[in-house]
Amino acid sequence: MTSQVHVPTQTEDSSAGTPPEGGPVEGDLIRSEPLHDDKPVRRLDRVVIRFAGDSGDGMQLTGDRFTSETAGFGNDLSTLPNFPAEIRAPAGTLPGVSSFQLHFADHDILTPGDAPDVLVAMNPAALKANLGDVPRGAQVIVNTDEFTKRALAKVGYTADPVTDGSLEAYAVHPVPLTTLTVEALKDSGLARKDAERAKNMFALGLLSWLYHRPTEGTERFLRSKFAKRPEIAEANVAAFRAGWNYGETTEDFAVSYEVAPATAAFAPGRYRNISGNLALAYGLVAAAKQSGLPLFLGSYPITPASDILHELSKHKNFGVRTFQAEDEIAGIGAALGAAFGGSLGVTTTSGPGVALKSETIGLAVSLELPLLVVDIQRGGPSTGMPTKTEQADLLQAMYGRNGEAPVPIVAPATAGECFTAALEAARIALTYRTPVFLLSDGYLANGSSPGASPSRRSCPTCARSSRPSPTGRTGSSGPTCATRRRWRGRGRCPARPAWSTGSAGSRSRTASAASPTTRPTTSTWSVSARPRSTASPCPTWRSRTRAAGPGCWCWAGARPSGRSAPPCAGSGPPEAGSPRPTCGISTPSRPTSAGCWPATTGWWCRR
């Protein structure tokens, strides 16, 4: 969801200064005016809403849609998804409660908030699990259809808290969400069980009316999400509209609320609501494009870092290669090998994985190879708690390696900053040829906030090193992570340019060749990673002739010995079965493409 922010002129209703962070109270009434004939509107500066229910009640989807519409409206926001570690805990139990908290305001905010001003509880377990965080006077919307004796007994209630007076300190709104949803969908043709699943959309419609959120985007989203099942899409849209109409017509909600766009918090531009992991993935792709290197991600799935692997696997069109390894050590080993071969190597993990990767990180420091280690922190020692957050890996990132192996550390402060943090980490890694830690955490990874849509001009260009050329001149010789292997040739070949690793199996010229009349005693080459497939990695045929003789053949795989330097050979490729050039060590087979044919340890290529 994107939104365009403009700077309006100051009006009488514009608040002077930025209000302090804290829950809105009745005294925060800025303006009261009737939106409809009989319902006034109260204008607030900030609101914290928490949706809570069972893992199967769709609270994450509900919160995500409310967040998207809030971002499109122009509010500053911060979110806190919270779901249980179990794949699916028993329905109606405290361990199975899933919640989504959203803090939005008309000014700059930095946190998802501590105390919710509105709690939407879909069952007794959600009420009991979250009531302790709700301040006195806050609004509590409960789905009374789920407050049965059996459901109350599951969580330890001896009486219905909605009717026994235990919630007198709160503004309670008992709403039969399930019954109203089924009634709204009675003509949809769905079974009752299927119709009940749309009660989260009814709750979303009610809250959208209560805080004047746009509705068109949610309806488009539902029709797109359930495009293959149009009857389900229309049922959800109908439930969403029914919730909106219920809020507009019921007397239980006598007042609606309005939170103005945060125009003073943002510079003019285009913004989008983005989660931390998504911003990190986009930042890594942008870093690879800005550096001119292919991106390689070697990763073992681990919560809460797996979303980066999922997202990057969708972007092969940008030259991204993802590798799901069998364990953490294999993941970083593959990433380090990719860095050695000329790619931008990245590995993602969480705290337990960092402990396993420490030896390879030390190796990257020793080899001076650029490598990005993305640590999405989670709580607890040992294997930890996958869905709980704790910023506890800083000391491990700083000192968790044997010997002296210092590593730079980059850490974003918000979900929107994850994009620029990825660019900065890549810039440091490529400029100074070192592994770099990028520390995020579960709150940033799963939460979201507005982020400015960057332009390519605003992204920094990752540095390229300046290294001596084969002729002794100083100039750019390709990306800093290009691997260079040098060997001394003793033949009578004309001078060759340096070749830098551009992509796997390809070579690009980065320095001009010396005069063809010279006969240097040293040839400098850069050998790229050996390709996995049988397709020829050799460059296009290039005619190399001298006044005194034809071109030369050289070995492009294993390093030749001192006595087998590349000699001058015939002007064309040897026929299949003919003697190999003396600079190689393997017997070639029939050519697989013009000018190149595979050997047991490498490729014969014409240079």
Side-chain angles (χ1 to χ4, degrees), residues 227-271:
K228 295 183 179 180
R229 300 189 64 183
E231 69 280 2
I232 299 296
E234 293 306 318
N236 280 277
V237 171
F240 176 71
R241 292 177 176 176
W244 176 282
N245 295 332
Y246 177 80
E248 193 173 36
T249 57
T250 183
E251 296 182 0
D252 192 23
F253 294 92
V255 178
S256 62
Y257 303 90
E258 182 181 90
V259 180
T263 53
F266 304 105
R270 183 174 294 275
Y271 293 78

Side-chain angles (χ1 to χ4, degrees), residues 331-349:
I332 190 172
L336 185 63
F340 184 80
S343 297
L344 177 59
V346 182
T347 185
T348 57
T349 186

Side-chain angles (χ1 to χ4, degrees), residues 194-272:
D194 293 331
E196 289 178 354
R197 294 177 179 174
K199 62 180 180 289
N200 63 323
M201 289 295 104
F202 189 99
L204 177 60
L206 174 59
L207 269 293
S208 297
W209 171 84
L210 190 62
Y211 289 98
H212 299 176
R213 301 295 95 181
T215 61
E216 295 80 4
T218 296
E219 293 185 8
R220 286 196 303 269
F221 169 82
L222 292 173
R223 290 191 172 97
S224 174
K225 180 177 178 63
F226 301 104
K228 295 183 179 180
R229 300 189 64 183
E231 69 280 2
I232 299 296
E234 293 306 318
N236 280 277
V237 171
F240 176 71
R241 292 177 176 176
W244 176 282
N245 295 332
Y246 177 80
E248 193 173 36
T249 57
T250 183
E251 296 182 0
D252 192 23
F253 294 92
V255 178
S256 62
Y257 303 90
E258 182 181 90
V259 180
T263 53
F266 304 105
R270 183 174 294 275
Y271 293 78
R272 64 163 295 166

Side-chain angles (χ1 to χ4, degrees), residues 405-496:
V407 173
I409 299 173
V410 178
T414 65
E417 285 184 9
C418 289
F419 179 86
T420 54
L423 282 170
E424 177 66 9
R427 186 193 67 81
I428 294 173
L430 294 173
T431 302
Y432 301 103
R433 298 187 59 80
T434 178
V436 176
F437 264 106
L438 204 167
L439 290 185
S440 180
D441 60 56
Y443 285 157
L444 297 181
N446 297 318
S448 60
S449 66
S453 299
S455 64
R456 183 161 187 176
R457 293 181 179 179
S458 66
C459 297
T461 301
C462 295
R464 296 169 180 263
S465 66
S466 181
R467 296 174 179 274
S469 68
T471 59
R473 303 185 184 92
T474 299
S476 175
S477 59
T480 58
C481 58
T483 304
R484 305 195 174 279
R485 298 178 183 175
R486 299 172 182 269
W487 53 272
R488 184 174 298 277
R490 299 180 181 177
R492 298 169 58 84
C493 298
R496 298 285 196 265

Side-chain angles (χ1 to χ4, degrees), residues 487 489-491 493 552-569 580-586 603-605 607:
W487 53 272
R490 299 180 181 177
C493 298
C552 294
W553 291 87
C554 298
W555 179 247
R559 179 176 177 176
S561 62
R563 293 186 177 181
S564 58
C568 291
R580 57 180 173 81
T582 57
C583 64
I585 58 174
S586 302
W603 294 87
W604 293 100
C605 301
R607 293 299 201 169

Side-chain angles (χ1 to χ4, degrees), residues 359-379:
E359 182 180 6
T360 309
I361 296 173
L363 177 60
V365 173
S366 301
L367 296 177
E368 298 184 358
L369 289 174
L371 177 68
L372 299 186
V373 182
V374 182
D375 179 10
I376 312 297
Q377 302 168 88
R378 68 187 194 186

Side-chain angles (χ1 to χ4, degrees), residues 180-199:
L180 292 173
T181 302
V182 172
E183 178 65 21
L185 302 182
K186 63 181 181 180
D187 297 329
S188 65
L190 298 179
R192 179 181 177 86
K193 185 176 181 180
D194 293 331
E196 289 178 354
R197 294 177 179 174
K199 62 180 180 289

